[in-house]
Amino acid sequence: MDLRFSADERAFRADVRAFIGAELDPALRRKLAEHRALTKAEIVGWQRRLHARGWATPSWPAEHGGPGWSVVQRWIFLDELHRAPAPEPLSFNVNMIGPVLIAYGTPGQQRRFLPRIARLDDWWAQGFSEPGAGSDLAALKTRAVRDGDHYVVSGQKAWQGMAQHADWMFTLVRTDPAAKPQAGISMLLVDLRSPGVGVRPIATLDGRHEVNEVFLDEVRVPAALRVGDENRGWEIAKYLLGHERTGIARIGMTQRLLARAKGLSSEPALRERAALIEAELKALEITQLRLLDAMRQGHRGPDARASILKIKGTELRQAASELLLEAAGRRAWRAAADEFDALAPAETTIASTYFTLRAASIYGGSNEVQKNILAKTVLGLR
Ligand SMILES: Cc1cc2nc3c(=O)[nH]c(=O)nc-3n(C[C@H](O)[C@H](O)[C@H](O)COP(=O)(O)OP(=O)(O)OC[C@H]3O[C@@H](n4cnc5c(N)ncnc54)[C@H](O)[C@@H]3O)c2cc1C
């Protein structure tokens, strides 16, 4: 392996592992290992434990309450969470709106929101995509019209992950319809309890309630809750989307899927496919460690290699879930915890995990779009 961990880094890993061992409820660990959905209370509870230890916001600078970790420590922390498995800090809060407010928020916005973001007192949703504006995000149509010291916001957002739990939504709106698409967009912080907000679940194949549509009907948002300058939202959105993608390959999760598949079937053809996925996974891990090593030496990264990690990481996760589905056969439709368990099957089956992971190559920038990025940045194609 390219990367040699120092004695301090190895000691740090041992610390993280011991903390997870002592603090993580075994029932929660089991739910995660079986790819079952966690409740809001479970996610909040774990975030509060991390917060009490000073580890809730791994990538934040120390002056804003982060642990002040190196890039390698951050990666080790995530790696240990994935291996345990333990929940990651809520990404919408910790990897998205937190860093955005640190970089672009006013001191007042930082004081008001950052401590609550870190403790998960407020749960945030991401209101970027719309029907007709996903990969082509700059086509978004949700309008915000200035009215005194407020904006009046109307439109529809789509695919808001876990918005059913959310208190707030950071969202992109069109503030100048006459400007070029990217130049007329601003970012607003919307209190989801405001009059005119409606959150409706989207039914998905996996039977889980994970994504939603959010309707905004003349919602009044104080202008003081705009992040950055008016019509500069595109720059902020790009900052947000490029931020903190170190854990994107999720190697630990793929390893767990494979281990379960092998536990369910010893059929030689299946074992052979598992071995092929494992070999590719090892190659992906080495790529990830190379990127980490480059970042440790001052490379600002993650650059085009983040696209490789995204594509390969999701392809292998999907391949492993397909293998698990086949290994389980008819059992894939039964509850994972116990075949005769009365738990709602849609919550707990191997089949629902398989369907959930179909979306991994779409969200976070679809794999086709990542390939376009690679074509431009690595191959120099225009
Ligand atoms: C489970 C899930 C959770 C999500 N969570 C959130 C969330 O919390 N907040 C949020 O704002 N959004 C969220 N999204 C939305 C997500 O960002 C979009 O689905 C994604 O950007 C793709 O956009 P789209 O669905 O409009 O598909 P489209 O952009 O219409 O793409 C359709 C297909 O065409 C391909 N394609 C599009 N453009 C190109 C191109 N230029 N070259 C080659 N191929 C192309 C795509 O890869 C895809 O296969 C989520 C989506 C899912 C599935």
Side-chain angles (χ1 to χ4, degrees):
M1 200 82 51
D2 282 344
L3 192 81
R4 303 254 179 280
F5 291 106
S6 68
D8 282 351
E9 286 163 351
R10 286 198 302 274
F12 174 74
R13 189 186 280 280
D15 257 8
V16 174
R17 195 169 293 181
F19 172 81
I20 296 172
E23 296 285 328
L24 182 64
D25 177 355
L28 205 100
R29 186 192 290 245
R30 183 161 172 233
K31 267 180 111 170
L32 278 171
E34 290 166 353
H35 305 282
R36 293 156 63 193
L38 302 187
T39 63
K40 178 175 182 176
E42 286 168 335
I43 295 171
V44 172
W46 175 243
Q47 179 99 2
R48 298 262 163 89
R49 279 172 195 257
L50 290 175
H51 187 265
R53 182 69 177 80
W55 291 353
T57 55
S59 63
W60 294 15
E63 66 266 31
H64 288 292
W69 284 339
S70 70
V71 67
V72 177
Q73 283 176 302
R74 273 186 257 159
W75 181 81
I76 290 174
F77 177 68
L78 270 185
D79 193 44
E80 283 300 317
L81 294 181
H82 293 162
R83 279 168 197 258
E88 285 181 43
L90 186 70
S91 195
F92 300 115
N93 279 36
V94 171
N95 299 334
M96 297 189 191
I97 189 60
V100 159
L101 290 180
I102 289 169
Y104 293 95
T106 62
Q109 290 170 344
Q110 293 176 347
R111 269 195 307 276
R112 176 174 175 188
F113 290 114
L114 288 178
R116 299 182 60 82
I117 288 170
R119 261 181 54 86
L120 201 39
D121 291 334
D122 298 326
W123 184 303
W124 286 78
Q126 180 189 22
F128 280 18
S129 306
E130 298 181 4
S135 304
D136 185 13
L137 188 57
L140 64 91
K141 291 197 174 68
T142 296
R143 284 284 315 275
V145 180
R146 190 71 184 248
D147 178 24
D149 56 3
H150 281 72
Y151 289 98
V152 180
V153 182
S154 293
Q156 185 196 337
K157 295 287 168 183
W159 305 110
Q160 278 54 61
M162 312 232 246
Q164 71 271 26
H165 299 324
D167 308 291
W168 286 84
M169 178 171 78
F170 53 93
T171 194
L172 296 177
V173 293
R174 188 158 298 287
T175 33
D176 183 356
K180 281 190 184 158
Q182 283 89 343
I185 292 171
S186 302
M187 183 183 280
L188 296 180
L189 308 178
V190 178
D191 183 341
L192 291 178
R193 286 156 303 200
S194 309
V197 175
V199 178
R200 192 193 293 164
I202 298 177
T204 45
L205 273 173
D206 58 13
R208 295 179 187 173
H209 179 188
E210 194 171 328
V211 280
N212 303 271
E213 297 173 291
V214 177
F215 296 88
L216 302 156
D217 182 13
E218 304 205 338
V219 178
R220 294 185 70 78
V221 178
L225 294 183
R226 188 188 66 231
V227 184
D229 293 337
E230 194 171 76
N231 300 324
R232 294 282 302 281
W234 190 250
E235 176 194 326
I236 304 172
K238 279 201 302 191
Y239 175 82
L240 182 150
L241 294 172
H243 197 83
E244 188 57 48
R245 306 183 96 182
T246 348
I248 201 166
R250 289 196 162 61
I251 288 165
M253 183 177 179
T254 309
Q255 280 165 340
R256 278 187 281 115
L257 290 165
L258 284 173
R260 266 186 92 192
K262 289 198 290 187
L264 285 171
S265 168
S266 51
E267 209 215 304
L270 194 133
R271 289 293 176 117
E272 193 181 318
R273 275 169 59 202
L276 284 174
I277 298 173
E278 271 163 359
E280 289 211 64
L281 203 58
K282 185 49 91 182
L284 180 66
E285 190 178 0
I286 291 169
T287 304
Q288 181 169 276
L289 292 176
R290 279 208 186 107
L291 171 60
L292 198 62
D293 197 37
M295 287 169 76
R296 175 153 76 173
Q297 284 164 30
H299 184 284
R300 286 186 61 238
D303 69 40
R305 278 172 286 195
S307 297
I308 297 174
L309 297 181
K310 163 80 199 331
I311 297 168
K312 210 64 204 168
T314 50
E315 282 178 356
L316 293 178
R317 214 146 68 240
Q318 290 179 340
S321 74
E322 201 174 316
L323 200 70
L324 175 56
L325 188 80
E326 287 178 36
R330 285 171 52 201
R331 286 169 295 179
W333 299 95
R334 295 193 191 138
D338 173 344
E339 287 186 24
F340 305 103
D341 182 323
L343 289 163
E347 282 273 1
T348 57
T349 62
I350 286 170
S352 66
T353 302
Y354 167 82
F355 286 123
T356 299
L357 284 173
R358 296 297 92 193
S361 47
I362 300 172
Y363 56 69
S366 79
N367 283 14
E368 289 78 10
V369 168
Q370 301 305 317
K371 285 177 186 169
N372 286 348
I373 294 173
L374 288 177
K376 276 191 198 149
T377 53
V378 179
L379 303 177
L381 301 174
R382 292 281 146 201

